[in-house]
Amino acid sequence: MAYGNTTINGKPKGILFRIRLKLFKWLAKHFPHNSVRVWALRICGFKVGEKVYVSSGLIISTISNEETYNLEIGDRVSISPRVTLILTSDANWSKLNEKIKPVRGSIKIGNDSWLGAGVIVLPGVTIGEASIIGAGSVVTKDVPSNSIYAGVPAKFLRSIE
């Protein structure tokens, strides 16, 4: 179970690491100015490209002592309000953890993509360049470049010429 994991590459993780991650994820979610939200994501160790817009309300679901799964946001990406990016998910301390493996994975959002309001992206998903994800969609699988996806689960609507 990941909750007992307190090392990075065999070295102990301190409480300061966890506090820093929580603080900067909070700034990325709540701070009123976009440049500070983007800066906070970079401080958390996520890769964020140039000219990225991150609206307030961004939720990034990770375990605070987990560094093995990453988030990559390309250049000129637009992330609308209340988007949720799930890098790790499990049943916490429930006995279900004995029966169902935790879900973990990196998320990559390609250059020039746009995530509509309330989009949820599950672990292990890559969103291709210049793609649009419609508001309220749940992205469970990779999205090819130059395409529009929407729905629950997100389905292909059309290509972008």
Side-chain angles (χ1 to χ4, degrees):
M1 181 169 10
Y3 298 95
N5 180 9
T6 57
T7 62
I8 302 172
N9 299 327
K11 297 177 186 171
K13 294 182 203 176
I15 187 122
L16 291 178
F17 169 81
R18 291 188 286 260
I19 291 171
R20 183 190 76 176
L21 187 61
K22 285 184 182 274
L23 172 67
F24 287 104
K25 280 174 50 179
W26 184 89
L27 280 175
K29 181 177 182 180
H30 296 289
F31 203 82
H33 199 276
N34 180 60
S35 63
V36 174
R37 290 191 299 267
V38 169
W39 171 78
L41 290 173
R42 289 179 179 141
I43 294 295
C44 286
F46 302 126
K47 295 177 184 171
V48 182
E50 299 299 316
K51 297 183 180 179
V52 169
Y53 179 77
V54 177
S55 202
S56 62
L58 174 65
I59 297 170
I60 301 174
S61 175
T62 60
I63 296 173
S64 63
N65 60 0
E66 183 94 25
E67 273 197 352
T68 56
Y69 300 99
N70 205 357
L71 170 63
E72 275 185 56
I73 300 172
D75 296 334
R76 299 168 306 278
V77 169
S78 179
I79 299 176
S80 299
R82 297 178 320 279
V83 167
T84 302
L85 305 174
I86 302 172
L87 299 172
T88 60
S89 181
D90 57 43
N92 295 321
W93 292 280
S94 168
K95 288 186 179 187
L96 287 174
N97 259 339
E98 298 167 9
K99 299 174 184 179
I100 300 172
K101 282 179 50 172
V103 180
R104 311 252 189 274
S106 299
I107 294 175
K108 183 175 181 184
I109 304 170
N111 297 338
D112 303 301
S113 292
W114 173 19
L115 278 61
V119 165
I120 298 171
V121 182
L122 297 182
V125 168
T126 297
I127 297 174
E129 292 191 7
S131 291
I132 299 170
I133 309 299
S137 298
V138 177
V139 185
T140 60
K141 297 178 184 172
D142 289 353
V143 173
S145 296
N146 302 303
S147 57
I148 300 174
Y149 273 63
V152 179
K155 292 186 170 68
F156 175 78
L157 295 181
R158 67 182 177 97
S159 293
I160 300 171
E161 300 299 321

